[in-house]
Structure formats: C-alpha cells, structure tokens
Amino acid sequence: MNKNIFILTHGDTGAFETGTVPFEVRIPLNGHGKKSVKKKAEVYPGLLVADHENAKSGDMHSGITGIVTEVTDTHITIKAQELAAPAEGEDPKPTGVEPVALASLEDAELQAALKGLGVDVRPLIKRCDLLIVNALNPEPGISYAESMLVHAKSTINAGLDMLKRLSPAARTVVALPTASTATFDGSDIAFINPQYPNSLDELLVANITGKESMKGVNVVDLHALYNLGAVAESGMPLTHTVVCVEGKNIVAPIGTPVGALLKEASIEVADGDTVIVGGPMRGEATGDLNKGIGKNTNALFVMPAGSTEPISDHACFSCGACIEHCPSRIQPNMISRYVEFNELDFCRQENIGACMECGLCTYYCPARRPMLQFIRLGKHKIALEESQVTACALQVEE
C-alpha cells in the first residue's frame, strides 16, 4: 500500500479565501417543512427562509441579498441582486438582522436560540462523559483543518467554549495530528497519527480510550465546531461555511452551486469527469452542478475522465481485498452481496452495523463495485424495517 496517498496533513496553514457572491444560491432543505418566504420575496443576509420542525435541527437563512425565484420541498433558490430602493415616503428596507445575545442564555433557551440561528444542536448535546473534538482533516486531499487551527483560532475557541456549555461531558479532549502545536485551555490534547482512516470517529475513540466502544463518548468534528464558533462569536445566523475545493479552502454562502464553487477555484468540468461532493473516500458523485452546498459540505473534488475505472455493478469475484483492508474486521464483500439481494437478516449476521463507512472497500475493490453505497443502502433498509416494527408494536400496545 502506498501510504503517502492516505496522509491527512498537507502543511497548508494559509488563510481561507472569501468566495465571490454567486449568481444565485440554492439553499438545500432537509425536513424544513415550514418555508418563511415565498416566490418573488426580497431577502437579505441572515433572513430566515425555512424553519425546521424538529427542535434540535437548525433553521435555514439567506446568505445573500436577492429575490426568491423558486421554493420547493428540497430547496429554495435566491437570485442575487440589489433590492429596489424604497418608494418616496416609505421606510428604508432592512439589509440585515440583529445579533442574538447568547452569553446570558442557558440550557433550553440557549439550545432554542442556536437552533434559530441555524445550528444543528442534537449532535452537540449527546449524553456522554467524554467529549472529543476531532481536529484532523477528515480524508486525504481535504486541507482545511490545519488552516482553521491557525487562522480561525478565535472562532474555534468560541465554538469550543459554546460546546462545553452545551455538552454534559466532564472531560474534553482535542485530537490533533502528530506534531501540531495548537493549544486549548481547559482541554486535554491527544496526538493521532495523521493517516487515513485514523480520522474516523470510531478509530479516534479507540486510540484515545483504548476501547472499541463509543459508549459514553461524543465526537464533534472541527468543521462543525467552526460553524458553531462562527455563530457563537457573532450571534448571527449561520449563512456561510468552509469548503475545500481541490485543496483550496473557500468561505462560501450556504447554497452556493457546486459549479460556481468549482469555477471560483478555476476548475473546469469536462465531459466524463466525475464531481464528488465530500471527500474522495466517503463523498458522493453528483451530476447536478446547480446543486447547492449544505452547511455540512466540507469538500468538492473532480475526478478527470479516464483517471480511474468507473464504478460498476460487476459481480464480486471474492478476491478478499476489501476484507484485508477493512478496519472494522467485517466482510464487505458478503454484506454487499446480501444487500444486493435484500437479505437483511444475513446483513445483520455479518454485523453490518460495525461498518465505519471509511470507503476503503470501494477504493480497493478491483471489480469497482459500489461497496460503500451498498452498505449504506443496507443500513438504511434495516433502520426503515426496524422503525416500522417499532411503530407496529406501539399500535398493538395502544
């Protein structure tokens, strides 16, 4: 194995670039049932555009000034443009929102305020004794973590202070790549060999605690901590995020189209190229360059046509390469076959739940089978099946 291609440190400590305002944004919605704007509405930075019904899921806001051109169940499209001047005698139009004073809020009030500012609160308040901040780059080729630790230190510290207010954990550990000089008051430091897949939460926990169990431990990644810190510092809604575009770290409005971000990074997409949203190991290919980035989108990559064999539905020929490289010590070849034929009980027997979704099985599969995608599909089907069983049991009890 060539270990260099799995290295998670790149020595990139340069400042982030601020992206230009895109022609339009397509803000992705995920369960945001209540839209706060209609087509042709005028919006400005920080204005609420969609409320999430779940009390722990963040609302969505506009990051630009413009006009709403489309409202669907999956996204809200806003065309960037200056708003018309008020007519004579009319009050000036608002150009932004007022910050929320978070310092004096506690517990449920603080959680509600953060939800209203666009923060997904649930992953931050998980019951635990040990809180780990995963400050490694998540995958090879992604380079924002080292820059964040140097150039966004105040934002990271603001996020960490807020995280400690939210989390019930008695102890906090920041996991850093070996040789990092970053420091954090009031938190322990753990150094991790920066080689993929050591950045996966499960392996991070095993490295720090010596146990192959996530019980009593919560892990928050640096990207989420940065977003939380941006809100905690300003009291303003979360409207922008950092995206690593082929190694260039850009701060962009949430909803910026994938194609616009690639153009911002001077990357052209040719026929046959594959655009990946997320990391090269765990990301997902998209053929829609108008798709808007979400608050959790951390990277974009383009695989030139012909650089790798395309993913296919070839049959597994049992070479065992996926088993040899699986850090979970399961059999991805067998699980993917069972998912193909909807044999979910056999998936359970093969311990599909232990899969960390690192993507190494897909990377090494000589048949180019979509192993990770099969496993994710299997988990989804099992979760759906179990939720239906639970719902039926509750009906019987009633």
Side-chain angles (χ1 to χ4, degrees), residues 82-222:
E82 294 297 324
L83 303 184
E88 187 174 352
E90 285 186 351
D91 293 333
K93 295 181 178 178
T95 57
V97 298
E98 293 295 320
V100 175
L102 298 170
S104 60
L105 302 180
E106 296 291 343
D107 303 327
E109 283 187 340
L110 178 60
Q111 294 175 24
L114 290 170
K115 175 251 191 318
L117 292 171
V119 176
D120 292 333
V121 179
R122 189 187 301 275
L124 311 177
I125 60 175
K126 180 181 173 184
R127 185 177 300 175
C128 64
D129 302 313
L130 172 62
L131 175 66
I132 297 176
V133 174
N134 185 349
L136 277 75
N137 283 311
E139 295 186 38
I142 298 179
S143 61
Y144 61 75
E146 293 154 280
S147 296
M148 273 186 188
L149 293 172
V150 173
H151 287 284
K153 191 170 182 179
S154 64
T155 304
I156 293 299
N157 280 327
L160 187 54
D161 289 342
M162 180 60 76
L163 185 57
K164 288 179 178 178
R165 289 172 62 187
L166 294 166
S167 175
R171 181 186 173 217
T172 305
V173 175
V174 181
L176 295 169
T178 306
S180 172
T181 58
T183 57
F184 296 89
D185 293 338
S187 300
D188 295 334
I189 299 293
F191 291 105
I192 307 296
N193 178 14
Q195 181 174 312
Y196 193 77
N198 291 345
S199 55
L200 300 183
D201 290 350
E202 292 86 348
L203 295 181
L204 207 66
V205 170
N207 196 303
I208 292 172
T209 67
K211 301 177 181 176
E212 294 187 359
S213 169
M214 299 285 285
K215 187 176 181 181
V217 185
N218 189 22
V219 182
V220 175
D221 67 71
L222 196 64

Side-chain angles (χ1 to χ4, degrees), residues 24-30 32 35 37 43-44 47-50 59-64 68 70-78 238-239 253-257 290-295:
E24 68 177 18
V25 295
R26 184 180 288 191
I27 299 174
L29 306 178
N30 183 18
H32 296 79
K35 317 300 189 297
V37 293
V43 299
Y44 45 84
L47 182 73
L48 178 70
V49 297
D59 300 335
M60 300 299 281
H61 308 78
S62 174
I64 66 172
V68 176
E70 187 180 33
V71 179
T72 74
D73 290 337
T74 60
H75 62 268
I76 293 174
T77 303
I78 300 170
L238 179 64
T239 58
I254 293 168
T256 299
N290 292 320
K291 177 179 181 178
I293 62 165
K295 66 183 76 171

Side-chain angles (χ1 to χ4, degrees), residues 119 154-160 162 223-235:
V119 176
S154 64
T155 304
I156 293 299
N157 280 327
L160 187 54
M162 180 60 76
H223 194 270
L225 190 69
Y226 174 87
N227 285 345
L228 176 64
V231 172
E233 259 187 327
S234 64

Side-chain angles (χ1 to χ4, degrees), residues 245-259:
V245 187
E246 290 277 9
K248 185 178 288 189
N249 296 308
I250 300 173
V251 181
I254 293 168
T256 299
V258 167

